[in-house]
Amino acid sequence: MDPLALHLLQQNALSLGNCHVHPVGLAGQNSLRTRRLWPEDSQTEWGVEQVLVFREAKATLQELGLEHIDVLRVAAGGQGVEVLASLEPWLKDVKVIYVEFGSEQARKQIDQMLDPSHMIWQGEIIAGQRGSLCYLRRA
């Protein structure tokens, strides 16, 4: 995970109580990705970059022994569909799912996967091709 994002998440979780942050970046498969931390403009010849470790979602949750997830955030750099597919056995029981998408096709696939058990609560769509959605469990 991005160390700054992890720090902010851990600070926010402290105020909630009874909340545990698992510092793992999930993906469709194990991978390493270089993320530009500053400046975000990839055209700039200089800057600060960091290699981030991503782990295959299903195997990682099994290794962590997680049987129950209340809130899941999927911001997997274009792999949201793959991460959700990998977590399919858990999805129907997750209370809140935040997911980012990078194309209209991905948004439609995500909605198709989650529609049986979840409803869209809110979202932000940027130019119809990128955005984030929040789904709440129907039950």
Side-chain angles (χ1 to χ4, degrees):
M1 288 186 67
D2 177 333
L4 179 58
L6 175 60
H7 176 73
L8 292 173
L9 182 59
Q10 289 170 328
Q11 293 303 307
N12 290 335
L14 285 175
S15 65
L16 293 174
N18 194 26
C19 181
H20 184 77
V21 175
H22 296 277
V24 178
L26 301 177
Q29 60 186 1
N30 291 336
S31 60
L32 298 174
R33 293 189 210 145
T34 301
R35 177 165 180 247
R36 188 175 196 79
L37 299 176
W38 183 83
E40 291 185 21
D41 179 12
S42 61
Q43 302 303 315
T44 305
E45 292 183 20
W46 56 273
V48 177
E49 295 182 340
Q50 180 175 20
V51 176
L52 302 176
V53 177
F54 289 84
R55 298 186 50 213
E56 193 273 327
K58 182 178 180 178
T60 301
L61 267 57
Q62 289 172 332
E63 287 172 21
L64 292 170
L66 291 178
E67 296 178 8
H68 181 74
I69 302 168
D70 286 323
V71 179
L72 176 66
R73 180 172 185 264
V74 179
Q79 290 195 19
V81 172
E82 292 84 356
V83 170
L84 290 175
S86 178
L87 296 178
E88 190 274 328
W90 286 272
L91 292 180
K92 69 183 182 327
D93 297 319
V94 178
K95 293 178 184 176
V96 182
I97 300 173
Y98 293 93
V99 61
E100 293 181 1
F101 62 91
S103 70
E104 182 178 11
Q105 179 184 0
R107 180 188 54 78
K108 289 178 178 180
Q109 288 177 300
I110 291 166
D111 196 52
Q112 186 177 16
M113 275 192 275
L114 295 178
D115 185 60
S117 57
H118 292 75
M119 65 179 191
I120 293 178
W121 180 253
Q122 65 182 15
E124 179 182 19
I125 299 172
I126 303 166
Q129 311 229 334
R130 294 181 310 127
S132 60
L133 300 169
C134 175
Y135 289 82
L136 297 181
R137 189 176 68 194
R138 292 182 188 276

